[in-house]
Amino acid sequence: MSQSDRGLRRLAAGTLLVAFQGTTAPEWVLRELEHGLGGVTLFGFNVADPGQVLGLTAALRGAGEPVISLDEEGGDVTRLAYHVGSPYPGNAALGAVDDVELTRRVYRAIASELAACGINLDMAPSADVNSEADNPVIGTRSFGTDAGLVARHTVAAVQGLQSVRVAACVKHFPGHGATRVDSHLAVPVVDVSLEVLRERELAPFQAAIDAGAKSVMTAHVAVPAVTGDTPATLSAAALTGLLRGELGYDGVVVTDALDMHAITRSVGLAGGAVLSLAAGSDLLCLGPLPTYDDVQAIIAEIVSAVREGRLPLARLEEAAARVAALRAWFGAPEGVAAEQNVVGLHAARRAVRLTGSAKPLVEPLVIEVDTPPTIAVGDVPWGVGPWLPDAEIVRVKPAAADVPGLLARAANRSLVVVVKDAHRHQASQELVSALVAARPDATVIEMGLPVWRPDSAAYIATYGAARANAQAAVELLTA
């Protein structure tokens, strides 16, 4: 391979954020980092404990200068606490409190934990305005439904993260909040006018850009007024015209995971990589599915696209320069706050809401209504079990629940029903309604968005299903 060929391959590899299975770095990842690989994205399956993550990131750093990223949003979407649930409430809870200084403190605490583990880019916060209640992928990941509220908390989150030299990655541009389709599975459409887009979807991104956000993540959503039927991740009109031009952004553009069906089932993984780079992205998050063979094929396709004139060399060089500037910004954190163990619970306590009055618990039966996890969240544990060790806890699938049997078990005992995003699941609503009709003295705890509620004696809204949210709910229940 000639020197120019090696240089071109290095530029192509430098645009990739790869993933891998297991808690140690495979040899191929370390080898590719030596040859210019952009970095890695870590997932829950890469995490055992903070010490292991620090060892993993140290090994990665020993092979190059990688961007080391993961999704640590607090709330339902966590990677460091994937096996136990996050100690921080997520954005919906922080938006419900609406104290920007609290949001800044929570995100600074999150960044402190990430920095201590060797992570330098957090794929957060979500700046999506959750205008569609039935949104299957955003929900409690959004600060709320009002663009102004979302904008000010997005800025606070960016400031909190970046105060510890962990880069924020504001997502999902140009906005995923108005969708009813999960882009992991298909291409969602945000069919609104440019005027609505500017006033609602784009306002938080503009605020984050003005606040110095180091990176922005693209969404695999089509916005007909801007992109036609092309996902924004692949659209020059969205990334170069709107984000770079109109919003004046010159930081790093990171794609959402390219292994999602919105990309793989339309233009393919390697094809999507080339189209996204041509559209204006700088770092391609490949997601958890692509193998080393896939990574090699993507690099080869980028190299071919440059040689064939489908992708200008100058575009790759521009991406490399932006990522180099980001690496230069990464640095040793200064004055890391030692409050991460308390601020999460403090924030969850401020977010939780009780309607009605909860009676003292007597031999409680807790019925947790099983809710399928979204792909973004994954199979993170949730529920009140850790905080009610003496209660009998039953996890039931709503469509198969034995209501008479459950009510018989609850006779002469306190009944607590825990549900997550009941407004999105008809079977959950029917089960909760049947239980509450027979036991109007029951307490219902909603660990998603409190959009739908039954007529129970007491109703607790947590605005999220993180470990801290559950603890705050139980404290209200047992006060």
Side-chain angles (χ1 to χ4, degrees):
M1 188 183 286
S2 70
Q3 189 169 344
S4 64
D5 287 341
R6 279 195 297 273
L8 178 53
R9 189 191 187 279
R10 191 175 187 90
L11 279 175
T15 65
L16 304 187
L17 294 176
V18 306
F20 52 87
Q21 298 291 325
T23 54
T24 56
E27 282 301 316
W28 72 262
V29 172
L30 300 177
R31 187 170 62 249
E32 287 294 344
L33 284 172
E34 291 173 356
H35 295 132
L37 183 69
V40 302
T41 304
L42 301 180
F43 291 88
F45 48 74
N46 300 125
V47 173
D49 57 68
Q52 168 267 324
V53 177
L54 181 59
L56 170 59
T57 59
L60 295 169
R61 277 200 174 81
E65 293 183 283
V67 174
I68 305 176
S69 64
L70 45 61
D71 294 83
E72 194 64 45
E73 300 178 12
D76 295 12
V77 178
T78 177
R79 303 296 182 242
L80 284 187
Y82 186 77
H83 304 292
V84 294
S86 177
Y88 304 101
N91 287 356
L94 295 172
V97 176
D98 194 15
D99 176 345
V100 291
E101 183 53 36
L102 179 65
T103 297
R104 192 178 293 111
R105 283 178 58 203
V106 166
Y107 273 88
R108 180 178 170 85
I110 289 172
S112 300
E113 291 198 21
L114 296 179
C117 291
I119 311 295
N120 51 30
L121 188 147
D122 186 9
M123 292 177 169
S126 166
D128 305 291
V129 180
N130 199 59
S131 56
E132 173 54 67
D134 196 28
N135 194 316
V137 71
I138 303 300
T140 57
R141 301 168 68 194
S142 167
F143 289 111
T145 60
D146 176 77
L149 179 143
V150 173
R152 61 180 174 267
H153 286 277
T154 297
V155 167
V158 168
Q159 292 170 336
L161 290 170
Q162 295 187 174
S163 69
V164 193
R165 292 280 165 172
V166 172
C169 187
V170 184
K171 60 190 185 186
H172 307 79
F173 182 83
H176 211 315
T179 62
R180 298 184 70 168
V181 172
D182 186 341
S183 52
H184 293 86
L185 306 175
V187 180
V189 177
V190 179
D191 196 3
V192 298
S193 68
L194 265 174
E195 183 180 21
V196 169
L197 195 75
R198 288 188 181 107
E199 289 178 359
R200 188 177 68 189
E201 271 74 14
L202 298 182
F205 289 97
Q206 185 69 73
I209 289 165
D210 294 344
K214 292 297 176 182
S215 64
V216 170
M217 178 180 284
T218 69
H220 304 330
V221 300
V223 185
V226 178
T227 72
D229 57 6
T230 302
T233 298
L234 309 180
S235 167
L239 303 187
T240 301
L242 191 59
L243 181 57
R244 300 286 189 205
E246 186 172 324
L247 273 62
Y249 182 62
D250 195 37
V252 172
V253 173
V254 183
T255 70
D256 205 345
L258 292 182
D259 61 355
M260 291 157 66
H261 288 175
I263 304 299
T264 58
R265 292 192 175 177
S266 57
V267 295
L269 195 57
V274 169
L275 289 172
S276 187
L277 287 169
S281 66
D282 304 306
L283 279 175
L284 307 173
C285 174
L286 300 187
L289 298 180
T291 63
Y292 180 39
D293 287 345
D294 293 325
V295 170
Q296 289 181 301
I298 292 165
I299 293 172
E301 179 62 17
I302 294 170
V303 168
S304 293
V306 172
R307 289 202 177 116
E308 294 165 11
R310 291 180 285 130
L311 177 64
L313 177 61
R315 178 74 271 283
L316 271 191
E317 292 170 336
E318 179 184 56
R322 287 203 183 101
V323 175
L326 178 64
R327 286 195 179 101
W329 176 84
F330 293 148
E334 301 169 6
V336 172
E339 64 172 357
Q340 53 256 45
N341 293 328
V342 296
V343 69
L345 182 57
H346 170 69
R349 286 169 173 160
R350 289 188 61 187
V352 72
R353 303 284 188 270
L354 168 65
T355 306
S357 57
K359 295 180 172 59
L361 296 178
V362 178
E363 297 180 32
L365 174 68
V366 179
I367 300 172
E368 294 181 340
V369 182
D370 196 43
T371 304
T374 66
I375 295 172
V377 172
D379 200 13
V380 177
W382 65 279
V384 297
W387 314 112
L388 282 175
D390 298 328
E392 180 185 0
I393 297 181
V394 182
R395 181 70 66 106
V396 299
K397 294 194 179 300
D402 173 15
V403 173
L406 291 170
L407 290 170
R409 283 170 77 171
N412 302 314
R413 303 167 64 183
S414 299
L415 177 61
V416 179
V417 183
V418 185
V419 71
K420 188 175 174 186
D421 281 333
H423 69 284
R424 296 199 55 247
H425 302 281
Q426 185 65 34
S428 297
Q429 294 175 30
E430 291 170 358
L431 173 57
V432 175
S433 296
L435 292 169
V436 169
R439 287 289 302 271
D441 63 324
T443 296
V444 174
I445 301 176
E446 169 60 78
M447 299 196 75
L449 289 178
V451 177
W452 175 88
R453 64 156 296 179
D455 192 19
S456 55
Y459 177 82
I460 296 175
T462 63
Y463 294 89
R467 195 154 41 97
N469 299 121
Q471 183 177 347
V474 170
E475 287 175 351
L476 270 187
L477 192 61
T478 56

